[in-house]
Amino acid sequence: NMRKLTKDDIELDEEGIIGLLKEIGSDVCVQLAGEAAGRCGEGYESKEVIYPERNAAIVKATDMKSFRDNLENNTIIKAVFSK
């Protein structure tokens, strides 16, 4: 005879869950940013950024030529949202 679990039946380790989500989320962000930077072409790079409350990844232009290309063509946005 099985009974339904209630929220009182489960005790969550909040720090452990937050740490796990940060780690998994960071891996996914870094991977997606790397793929987007590759689609942008030469002059773009991805970088992992670690904040106290979360981790993230960025794609950025590394020189003036790619910086101007991104301003004129929205290269990074197009690369992030394309497949």
Side-chain angles (χ1 to χ4, degrees), residues 1 6 15 17-18 23 25-26 32 42 44 52 60 72 77 83:
N1 197 7
T6 66
E15 283 185 31
I17 290 172
I18 290 170
E23 185 177 322
S26 175
L32 293 174
E42 191 174 329
Y44 294 88
K60 66 179 188 172
E72 293 173 357
I77 290 175
K83 291 185 180 182

Side-chain angles (χ1 to χ4, degrees), residues 33-82:
E35 292 171 4
R39 286 191 293 272
C40 288
E42 191 174 329
Y44 294 88
E45 70 179 8
S46 62
K47 179 180 173 185
E48 182 176 13
V49 183
I50 300 172
Y51 300 106
E53 67 280 357
R54 62 184 163 79
N55 295 350
I58 60 169
V59 177
K60 66 179 188 172
T62 59
D63 56 38
M64 285 307 295
K65 182 180 175 187
S66 56
F67 183 80
R68 182 172 304 282
D69 172 61
N70 184 55
L71 283 176
E72 293 173 357
N73 302 304
N74 294 315
T75 306
I76 293 173
I77 290 175
K78 289 176 182 175
V80 168
F81 290 105
S82 70

